[in-house]
Amino acid sequence: MAQKPTKTRASAKAQIESKIKAAARPRQRAVQERAEITIEKIRVAAIRLFAERGYDGTSIREVENVAGVNRGLVNYHFDNKEALWKAALDQVFGLLETHTKDRAELYRDLPPKERIAYVIRSQVRFNAAHPELNQLMMQEAKSDTPRLHYIVDTYVRPIMEWLQHTAMEALPIEQDEFLYWYYMFLGSSTTVYSMAPESKLLFGVDVMEEKMIDRHVALTTEFLLTRIGGETAK
Amino acid sequence: MAQKPTKTRASAKAQIESKIKAAARPRQRAVQERAEITIEKIRVAAIRLFAERGYDGTSIREVENVAGVNRGLVNYHFDNKEALWKAALDQVFGLLETHTKDRAELYRDLPPKERIAYVIRSQVRFNAAHPELNQLMMQEAKSDTPRLHYIVDTYVRPIMEWLQHTAMEALPIEQDEFLYWYYMFLGSSTTVYSMAPESKLLFGVDVMEEKMIDRHVALTTEFLLTRIGGETAK
DNA sequence: ATCGAAATTTTTCAATTGCTTAAGCTTAAA
DNA sequence: TTTAAGCTTAAGCAATTGAAAAATTTCGAT
């Protein structure tokens, strides 16, 4: 997607040279379908493995194995491990971004209280459908790395700010209390899915089942809407 | 602690042989203090690194560097990486186990509602003081590995069952609802600490500060005690 | 003091890591 | 059909990995 297949076999440095030549070059070709399939298989595997084992715990060879593609293809389609990580992350967070924007649009004309309820509901569903996102996030949020800065600046902050506005408009939350509301929201709506294998072991229940998710949605919504301290809404 | 320094340089297999010889051997010596210091330094470093980077993402050399001890000492004091992980984990979960038992004892004679309030409060404080525990747990809870089985069977289940008893005695939670209450409790009380670097970036606030923790305790308690649906207690 | 075990230090080794190179093979534009 | 870009395959590299072995130092019971 964000790939530059403009390299013959001379590596990255030759890009400038390649660009100069491009002016005089008549030939220009599209990405082939088989490549797109390969890239997609690699991306899917990368998301799973990065989410499950973290950046350092994931090896390129393993990604290739899980993806079922041949040795060397990751380094061809994605220049290096860092770029692969970024591609995986952009895919997952791009999904969240789209989802959030769609919902913001959809619920725009609802009364605040009702709107935040829908937001919570749809967010829980999203987390259930995409546990990798929170898993990736937890991997990175633990230490102050360039990768964390990238995620926060690019994806998390805008979503958080919109959520803050939406929540504080509907609920009697103080400005400096929102931080906790936010993490309670996050924790309440993601933990059970991020830890799905544990919950299976511990309670013998598959929390990914539709009926289970419904229940979780209901409880979380009630939970987060009930104003702390007894009040109900603004 | 659970170490067996009874190896000359012949590795694990020689333990039986070593035991036989032990009967005829007159000399028997205690663990030296310098060794205990080394072991402790390694354990501390291991907890931090395993929590931060996961099992596969942590290298023995890195543990030794962070611990500030010489190459080879990890493999001397802990037979292998797996044993090191188990030692780190036992340390952290042992702390939780002790903490939980102490509190159970301490709050035994309180009325149920009050007891669960204290339990929540003390649990939040514990999570703030030991974010590595939840980080380690999140690392392992994501996939069904032998390591997860070990943690759940040894530490998590007993604590969960006691918590279930304590919570259901005090709050109107249905049997099959408890799962969600549990993970909301977990998520609400740990996420902000596991993701402390993110919250610093996102809100510019150090959530580990005592005043902040107090606030979190208050909110979480109110949150989790407010009966879903409007009721208050049994 | 001194002997031997415990602990540390230093080397060594095979396997795995990220990454590069060099061929070969497909495919689509000319 | 040609032909070069796009793609795949395979081999190889230096660095890092977990683990063990060897060499050396420290320490306590005799």
Side-chain angles (χ1 to χ4, degrees), chain A residues 4 9 11 13 41 52 90 92 96 103 109 115 140 146 148 151 156 168 186 194 204 209:
Chain A
K4 270 253 209 51
R9 71 212 55 218
S11 56
K13 331 154 200 178
K41 284 197 288 186
E52 205 167 277
D90 284 342
V92 177
L96 173 64
R103 299 294 143 175
D109 298 326
R115 190 189 316 160
E140 300 300 335
L148 176 62
I151 304 179
V156 178
M168 290 182 62
L186 210 64
S194 293
E209 273 176 16

Side-chain angles (χ1 to χ4, degrees), chain A residues 51-52 137 139 141-142 157 176 180 183-184 187-188 191 197-199 201-202 212 215 220 222-223 228-229, chain B residues 51-52 137 139 141-142 157 176 180 183-184 187-188 191 197-199 201-202 212 215-216 220 222-223 229:
Chain A
E52 205 167 277
M137 196 63 228
Q139 293 284 358
K142 288 179 296 190
R157 193 184 303 282
D176 61 345
Y180 289 114
Y183 283 105
M184 281 163 128
S188 297
T191 308
E198 192 221 44
S199 68
L201 259 180
L202 202 51
M212 285 283 128
R215 195 143 211 181
T220 316
E222 283 182 276
F223 227 32
I228 317 163
Chain B
E52 204 169 280
M137 196 62 227
Q139 293 283 359
K142 287 180 296 187
R157 193 184 303 284
D176 60 345
Y180 290 113
Y183 283 106
M184 281 163 131
S188 297
T191 308
E198 191 220 46
S199 67
L201 259 181
L202 202 52
M212 285 283 130
R215 193 144 211 180
H216 185 211
T220 316
E222 283 181 278
F223 230 32

Side-chain angles (χ1 to χ4, degrees), chain B residues 37-76:
Chain B
I37 292 170
T38 303
I39 290 173
E40 185 55 22
K41 283 197 287 186
I42 291 174
R43 215 202 316 263
V44 169
I47 290 172
R48 227 194 66 190
L49 287 170
F50 280 136
E52 204 169 280
R53 314 191 177 200
Y55 184 82
D56 294 312
T58 301
S59 78
I60 290 180
R61 281 166 176 48
E62 215 169 357
V63 172
E64 287 165 336
N65 287 342
V66 171
V69 303
N70 230 297
R71 187 71 249 286
L73 283 178
V74 163
N75 279 301
Y76 175 74

